Amino acid sequence: MQVRNFKKWWLSLVKNLKHHQRFDAELNQTKTELNQTKTELNQTKTELNQTKTELNQTKTELNQTKTELNQTKTELNQTKTELNQTKTTTRTTLDFHLRKITPMAFLELLEIHLAESCNLNCFGCNHFSQIAEESYTDLEEFEKDMSQLAKVTKGEVGVFRLMGGEPLLNPQCPNFFEVTRKYFPKSEIWLVSNGLLLEKQDALFWQKARENRVQIRPTKYPLKIDWDKIKALCDANEVPLIFFNEGEVEKTSWKFTLDPEGKCDNYHSFTHCSMANHCVQFKKGRLYTCTFPAHIEHYNKKYGHTFELSPFDSISIYEVKDYQELLYFLAKPIPFCRYCKVSQWAPVGKWRPSKKDKFEYLERKDNE
């Protein structure tokens, strides 16, 4: 009996042992699978993090690409803007040059000196008025010339600038208003003045200015002038007051460099000159395409004969066959252009008085 019970007990132990061994095996297998699962989970997490990193990198690259795209668009827009500006500049430059060598339909602007000298002393004046001796346009000769000019032009002149120098220095100044209006009833007449003498003009001056529809066109220099008082004076006499340089007080001085050796290219000087075929000068029955040949006599007299004038630097209104010949002459280079270093013309700062030194117009060399 005891043996049988022992046997049962032993068999039970063996059976339980096998169960335990099977359970242990299953447990170990489960642990192994769990560890594998954890490993796979960690790998998956790692892959997920890598994927997130790659996603972030992709987003960063996308943002960089967008930024580069925006920069490229900005550069493209800037390039387009620069291209348009270049086109505009090219068209403007081309238009400027074409206007120089294209005859005007009629004389748009004519400048006439009533006085050669000036009561203001400007640096590098392109009329040479600061070094000119006192001299006034003769009224009888002026009327003769205006009569002939009216015949040639049939009265078709846009604007007359009566100037100088300082035109109010001429004691007969108001009489020039009458003569100009007599022969050119449709033209504008401007009196271009620095304004210093306007308050001193008498009633006859204002009467003739009003009757002949003269516009007072003063240039504002940095001087102590009571412009409000002058404006009231003009209003009281019904004479328009319009500032010549748009009321700009801070007027600049320029250096207009000339070459005494005359080695400049005539065509380049002419086509790049702001005055050529625009600021036409009328002096002693002759027309000049710009200010320099018309008034260079003052420089030559002051500093000695340096710049030669040619008969081909101007045209006589008494010798032209018609208006077209006159207009065509003004639209082409003249011999005097060889003296103008237009590429070096530039402002030199705020308005300054002249020292009446020839080097206001010349390059100063090392030994000078």
Side-chain angles (χ1 to χ4, degrees):
M1 184 70 181
Q2 289 179 345
V3 172
R4 185 184 298 173
N5 289 336
F6 177 79
K7 187 176 181 180
K8 286 182 179 180
W9 175 80
W10 176 254
L11 290 172
S12 176
L13 283 177
V14 171
K15 187 177 181 180
N16 287 336
L17 178 62
K18 288 182 178 180
H19 280 299
H20 280 295
Q21 287 176 342
R22 188 175 72 247
F23 289 152
D24 286 342
E26 290 177 357
L27 178 61
N28 289 332
Q29 186 176 356
T30 300
K31 287 181 178 180
T32 300
E33 290 176 357
L34 177 61
N35 289 332
Q36 288 176 345
T37 301
K38 286 182 178 180
T39 300
E40 290 177 0
L41 177 61
N42 289 332
Q43 289 175 344
T44 301
K45 286 182 178 180
T46 300
E47 290 176 359
L48 177 61
N49 289 332
Q50 289 175 344
T51 301
K52 286 182 178 180
T53 300
E54 291 176 359
L55 177 61
N56 289 331
Q57 289 175 343
T58 301
K59 287 182 178 180
T60 300
E61 291 176 0
L62 177 61
N63 289 331
Q64 288 175 343
T65 301
K66 286 182 178 179
T67 300
E68 291 175 1
L69 177 61
N70 289 331
Q71 289 175 342
T72 301
K73 286 182 178 180
T74 299
E75 290 175 1
L76 177 61
N77 289 331
Q78 289 175 343
T79 301
K80 286 182 177 179
T81 299
E82 290 175 1
L83 178 61
N84 288 331
Q85 289 175 343
T86 300
K87 286 182 177 179
T88 300
T89 301
T90 301
R91 282 195 295 266
T92 301
T93 302
L94 181 60
D95 180 68
F96 179 86
H97 293 331
L98 285 175
R99 282 180 176 271
K100 293 298 166 186
I101 59 176
T102 302
M104 291 179 279
F106 59 91
L107 278 171
E108 298 172 1
L109 172 67
L110 204 55
E111 296 186 344
I112 302 173
H113 277 202
L114 303 190
E116 294 300 317
S117 59
C118 189
N119 56 351
L120 199 57
N121 184 36
C122 298
F123 175 94
C125 174
N126 60 352
H127 290 248
F128 303 99
S129 298
Q130 86 281 26
I131 57 175
E133 295 180 356
E134 184 177 350
S135 175
Y136 305 113
T137 299
D138 181 79
L139 186 61
E140 290 185 8
E141 288 186 8
F142 178 78
E143 179 156 12
K144 176 186 173 185
D145 291 342
M146 293 297 274
S147 173
Q148 176 64 17
L149 183 66
K151 292 176 184 177
V152 174
T153 64
K154 303 297 187 291
E156 293 293 335
V157 175
V159 177
F160 284 94
R161 288 180 182 171
L162 304 182
M163 55 192 302
E166 172 50 50
L168 292 177
L169 290 174
N170 190 323
Q172 292 184 298
C173 179
N175 296 329
F176 287 86
F177 302 161
E178 288 185 316
V179 173
T180 305
R181 181 58 68 207
K182 174 182 176 181
Y183 293 102
F184 294 90
K186 298 185 297 181
S187 302
E188 290 187 24
I189 302 175
W190 297 4
L191 180 70
V192 180
S193 166
N194 58 38
L196 287 170
L197 299 176
L198 278 172
E199 287 188 64
K200 298 180 180 180
Q201 301 308 304
D202 58 20
L204 182 61
F205 169 88
W206 293 106
Q207 177 187 338
K208 290 191 175 183
R210 180 177 62 256
E211 290 175 350
N212 293 287
R213 306 192 308 280
V214 174
Q215 300 175 27
I216 306 296
R217 295 265 184 164
T219 301
K220 264 192 177 181
Y221 291 90
L223 304 171
K224 292 183 179 180
I225 297 178
D226 190 343
W227 289 112
D228 291 334
K229 187 175 181 180
I230 291 175
K231 178 67 166 62
L233 189 60
C234 289
D235 289 345
N237 287 281
E238 300 178 355
V239 175
L241 176 69
I242 304 171
F243 288 107
F244 186 69
N245 55 335
E246 299 180 354
E248 180 186 354
V249 178
E250 292 300 322
K251 183 173 173 59
T252 56
S253 290
W254 277 67
K255 178 162 184 174
F256 299 100
T257 305
L258 301 176
D259 176 14
E261 296 181 2
K263 293 183 178 180
C264 301
D265 180 84
N266 292 59
Y267 180 80
H268 180 275
S269 295
F270 184 83
T271 55
H272 289 76
C273 176
S274 60
M275 292 173 281
N277 200 22
H278 175 61
C279 297
V280 179
Q281 306 295 298
F282 187 34
K283 190 172 187 177
K284 296 180 180 179
R286 303 188 72 86
L287 289 175
Y288 299 79
T289 192
C290 72
T291 63
F292 284 97
H295 310 299
I296 194 65
E297 61 182 291
H298 303 306
Y299 180 98
N300 288 340
K301 190 170 185 179
K302 175 72 174 177
Y303 303 115
H305 183 72
T306 302
F307 299 98
E308 294 183 3
L309 277 177
S310 161
F312 306 108
D313 285 322
S314 60
I315 188 168
S316 171
I317 59 171
Y318 295 97
E319 297 174 3
V320 293
K321 61 182 180 181
D322 55 29
Y323 202 0
Q324 290 300 310
E325 182 183 355
L326 189 154
L327 295 171
Y328 271 81
F329 173 85
L330 296 172
K332 61 183 181 181
I334 57 175
F336 194 89
C337 291
R338 71 189 187 276
Y339 293 123
C340 295
K341 281 192 172 183
V342 177
S343 59
Q344 294 185 17
W345 291 3
V348 291
K350 293 182 179 180
W351 180 88
R352 65 178 73 171
S354 171
K355 295 181 180 179
K356 300 184 179 180
D357 184 343
K358 67 179 180 179
F359 289 104
E360 291 180 14
Y361 301 98
L362 306 179
E363 286 184 285
R364 190 181 294 274
K365 298 179 181 178
D366 294 337
N367 59 346
E368 292 178 311

